[in-house]
Amino acid sequence: METLVSLNQVIFPVTTRPLSSKFVNGSTSALVLCMPRSFKASSNNNNKVITRAFSVAVEQNPQTKVALIRIGTRGSPLALAQAYETREKLMAKHAELAEDGAIQIVVIKTTGDKILSQPLADIGGKGLFTKEIDEALLNSEIDIAVHSMKDVPTYLPEKTILPCNMQREDVRDAFISVSAASLADLPAGSTIGTASLRRKSQILHRYPSLNVLENFRGNVQTRLKKLNEGVVQATLLALAGLKRLNMTENVAAILSIDEMLPAVAQGAIGIACRSNDDTMASYLASLNHEETRLAVACERSFLLTLDGSCRTPIAGYASRDEDGNCIFKGLVASPDGTRVLETSRKGPYSYDDMIAMGKDAGQELLSMGGANFFDS
């Protein structure tokens, strides 16, 4: 039976079947979604942000038609929204993929999803949100893997390629609070929740009187729930994710690039496949947005040069200016925000030039900071 269901107010067709008692993470045949229920403030209480709860179940049904493409993804609402965006665009471009059952969503739980009690840096840093998905891809349990590009390590696993970056969303960070309209409006001593050292260092650099609660982790809904409960007075989230979840009603202010330089590849979706799978590579090429791909490559070249990890606050952003040139801005900082090093570059908007710009900017900051700076 096929029914229409809503994921964050966007309608998608989902094939549903009776649930068996056994759920699996490997080869799957159906995605059953329990749709969001809204938590809204009552009419006489305005100090709440809106959260939405989701649950996901994946079941095995051996009688289901074999899918032409199995999409691997994390199970968070944002990851699912990105997987469905990929599915819809593939269906729109390829008639054979628009048939019922041609594309299947496979939910895979990653290390980063399983361990929420510790900071990312303490449990391994790189690859925490991609490792298990990459393994499923290499084991042919899925055909393509949809990632938030800022989660993807600078080195791809052997025998995989990432030929597609879909058009980038807004790269800026959003300020969310139940009591203040902006960072500048927060009283001294207020606590901001974030799991990002990049955000922490830039906040403390400009507003040293504020406190930052680290390891403020979980999906968007979890973080907003903690905010409602008064665990923190404010938080910062990627505007791109809030847009994809249709949750921008919670945004109190949008931080400019000058106020908060974004994470490398923030707002970009990357789709990987096996390096020997020409069919999938061809499908993904049809979704690639070249301007985004080049910008992401420039930023990741910068990150690779710095050998960036979750322990080093790093930010980088490449964009095209009105004359068609690439403008790159890069930043590294001490975790406490007392020292921030910045640089910028301008050059042709072409792959080789942009890779060189990112590398050169990274080498400059390495020289400026010295070895001890990056060991802090």
Side-chain angles (χ1 to χ4, degrees):
M1 179 183 71
E2 181 168 280
T3 184
L4 289 179
V5 297
S6 171
L7 178 63
N8 297 297
Q9 302 176 3
V10 180
I11 303 300
F12 300 109
V14 174
T15 301
T16 61
R17 296 177 179 82
L19 288 175
S20 64
S21 60
K22 184 177 181 180
F23 296 96
V24 296
N25 290 324
S27 178
T28 63
S29 60
L31 180 71
V32 182
L33 297 178
C34 299
M35 286 301 104
R37 65 179 187 275
S38 294
F39 294 94
K40 292 181 180 288
S42 62
S43 58
N44 61 353
N45 186 354
N46 295 318
N47 64 338
K48 294 286 184 181
V49 296
I50 299 172
T51 64
R52 298 186 176 94
F54 296 76
S55 61
V56 179
V58 185
E59 70 155 333
Q60 188 177 40
N61 188 329
Q63 296 179 343
T64 302
K65 172 184 173 181
V66 175
L68 296 177
I69 298 181
R70 296 162 298 170
I71 300 176
T73 177
R74 296 168 60 200
S76 72
L78 177 55
L80 286 170
Q82 293 176 166
Y84 271 99
E85 181 180 344
T86 301
R87 176 181 181 265
E88 294 303 302
K89 289 185 176 181
L90 284 169
M91 291 172 65
K93 285 185 174 288
H94 305 279
E96 70 274 20
L97 300 181
E99 297 181 9
D100 182 37
I103 302 179
Q104 185 179 93
I105 305 292
V106 181
V107 175
I108 300 167
K109 199 160 189 177
T110 68
T111 301
D113 299 310
K114 295 172 186 175
I115 305 175
L116 297 175
S117 60
Q118 297 172 259
L120 294 175
D122 292 348
I123 56 175
K126 296 180 182 179
L128 289 173
F129 295 109
T130 59
K131 180 176 179 289
E132 287 81 1
I133 300 175
D134 291 334
E135 290 172 351
L137 183 61
L138 290 169
N139 292 334
S140 298
E141 295 167 3
I142 58 174
D143 302 300
I144 63 174
V146 177
H147 299 297
S148 292
M149 276 304 300
K150 68 178 181 179
D151 293 335
V152 178
T154 49
Y155 292 100
L156 297 177
E158 190 176 355
K159 299 182 180 178
T160 70
I161 55 173
L162 206 157
C164 172
N165 288 131
M166 294 201 295
Q167 186 167 359
R168 199 174 202 173
E169 248 296 357
D170 198 314
V171 303
R172 295 173 295 174
D173 281 321
F175 173 80
I176 302 174
S177 175
V178 298
S179 60
S182 68
L183 276 169
D185 289 337
L186 285 171
S190 297
T191 299
I192 302 175
T194 180
S196 164
L197 287 182
R198 170 189 65 86
R199 291 181 178 128
K200 174 188 173 181
S201 62
Q202 292 185 74
I203 291 169
L204 293 179
H205 182 66
R206 291 177 174 80
Y207 304 98
S209 66
L210 299 177
N211 299 317
V212 175
L213 175 64
E214 295 182 42
N215 199 35
F216 192 74
R217 295 184 54 209
N219 61 36
V220 171
Q221 289 75 15
T222 298
R223 298 185 203 193
L224 294 183
K225 182 174 182 288
K226 291 179 181 178
L227 180 60
N228 276 337
E229 293 171 347
V231 176
V232 296
Q233 283 71 62
T235 188
L236 299 183
L237 295 171
L239 183 58
L242 294 171
K243 284 188 172 184
R244 290 183 175 122
L245 289 170
N246 195 24
M247 294 182 71
T248 55
E249 69 270 30
N250 293 305
V251 175
I254 298 173
L255 281 67
S256 71
I257 298 299
D258 292 333
E259 291 177 284
M260 180 66 62
L261 198 63
V264 164
Q266 183 157 304
I269 296 172
I271 315 177
C273 65
R274 290 179 292 277
S275 56
N276 62 353
D277 194 335
D278 294 340
T279 299
M280 293 303 132
S282 178
Y283 280 137
L284 297 186
S286 70
L287 301 188
N288 182 59
H289 186 255
E290 189 65 3
E291 181 175 329
T292 298
R293 188 183 76 88
L294 296 186
V296 168
C298 177
E299 295 164 23
R300 282 166 62 82
S301 173
F302 172 71
L303 184 65
L304 176 62
T305 303
L306 292 170
D307 191 25
S309 72
C310 288
R311 294 188 182 278
T312 307
I314 297 173
Y317 177 49
S319 60
R320 190 195 293 267
D321 69 9
E322 58 186 12
D323 297 320
N325 293 309
C326 174
I327 302 296
F328 175 78
K329 295 182 178 181
L331 172 155
V332 295
S334 59
D336 63 3
T338 56
R339 191 178 179 198
V340 174
L341 308 177
E342 298 179 80
T343 188
S344 63
R345 295 289 186 280
K346 181 177 179 177
Y349 208 98
S350 66
Y351 182 81
D352 289 341
D353 289 293
M354 292 168 71
I355 291 290
M357 272 192 281
K359 182 177 180 180
D360 187 61
Q363 289 173 337
E364 180 190 358
L365 294 188
L366 281 174
S367 177
M368 290 170 62
N372 293 335
F373 181 84
F374 293 90
D375 291 337
S376 60

